[in-house]
């Protein structure tokens, strides 16, 4: 059965690469889109947690800020092999971003299109669009864990106590 073990290892490695860099591509693409059109204004306006940002910033400034944050997080996640600490920062940023967007599932009108036998059926926009973030936040938690693990391994190999990794 060594063929199955090899297949399992290769498949898991492919999954890790696709998950990490797929997350980076999705973040960068969504971030770039914020420079062209603001697709999350209606989501933010209805959020009790975030609607205040329009009292402080213009719609364009919010869009550019979110887009830039997403692009920076994507770039940081992608540097994992060389700089796991920076990658961990990008993953943590991504988790915060997706916590915000997942909160919109509960605050945005029109998320539930109808009910079928008591089961809520999500609308395509914004319901199903937001639901994908549940998987993406899971990938972000995984990339954070992998980056933290690499940092811990790096600390051991450098004979540096793990408690001193704050610098």
């Amino acid at each position: 059965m060594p063929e199955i073990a090899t297949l399992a290892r290769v498949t898991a490695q492919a999954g890790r690469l696709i998950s990490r860099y797929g997350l980076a591509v999705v973040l960068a693409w969504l971030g770039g889109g914020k420079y062209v059109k603001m697709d999350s204004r209606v989501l933010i306006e209805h959020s009790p947690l975030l609607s205040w940002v329009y009292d402080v910033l213009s719609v364009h400034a919010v869009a550019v800020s979110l887009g830039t944050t997403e692009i920076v997080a994507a770039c940081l996640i992608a540097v994992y092999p060389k700089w796991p600490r920076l990658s961990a920062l990008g993953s943590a940023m991504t988790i915060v971003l997706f916590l915000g967007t997942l909160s919109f599932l509960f605050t945005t009108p029109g998320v539930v299109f109808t009910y079928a036998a008591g089961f809520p059926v999500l609308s395509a926009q914004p319901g199903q669009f937001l639901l994908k973030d549940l998987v993406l936040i899971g990938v972000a938690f995984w990339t954070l864990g992998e980056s933290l693990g690499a940092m811990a391994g790096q600390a051991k190999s450098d004979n540096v106590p793990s408690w001193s990794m704050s610098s």
Side-chain angles (χ1 to χ4, degrees):
M1 293 290 166
E3 303 85 27
I4 292 176
T6 301
L7 180 60
R9 190 177 65 256
V10 169
T11 302
Q13 179 62 23
R16 284 190 293 274
L17 287 171
I18 292 167
S19 294
R20 174 174 294 282
Y21 295 103
L23 178 61
V25 167
V26 167
L27 280 171
W29 205 308
L30 292 173
K34 302 270 187 326
Y35 284 86
V36 180
K37 77 177 187 90
M38 179 59 175
D39 59 353
S40 57
R41 181 178 180 174
V42 70
L43 302 174
I44 293 171
E45 285 178 332
H46 290 98
S47 170
L49 298 172
L50 299 172
S51 60
W52 60 269
V53 299
Y54 292 120
D55 295 335
V56 179
L57 299 171
S58 69
V59 171
H60 179 72
V62 171
V64 169
S65 298
L66 284 172
T68 301
T69 302
E70 290 169 340
I71 292 168
V72 168
C75 292
L76 292 174
I77 288 169
V79 301
Y80 166 75
K82 184 80 172 156
W83 297 295
R85 183 174 297 169
L86 289 176
S87 186
L89 175 62
S91 296
M93 291 169 61
T94 300
I95 290 167
V96 171
L97 287 165
F98 286 133
L99 284 172
T101 58
L102 283 169
S103 75
F104 300 150
L105 278 169
F106 307 102
T107 60
T108 305
V111 168
V112 175
F113 174 69
T114 189
Y115 289 87
F119 184 79
V121 177
L122 297 179
S123 61
Q125 286 288 342
Q128 293 175 21
F129 172 78
L130 293 170
L131 194 61
K132 70 169 175 15
D133 291 352
L134 188 58
V135 174
L136 293 171
I137 198 171
V139 174
F141 270 104
W142 172 79
T143 60
L144 176 59
E146 185 179 54
S147 296
L148 293 173
M151 287 169 52
Q154 207 172 39
K156 285 182 183 179
S157 69
D158 293 341
N159 290 324
V160 175
S162 59
W163 51 264
S164 69
M165 292 301 294
S166 62
S167 59

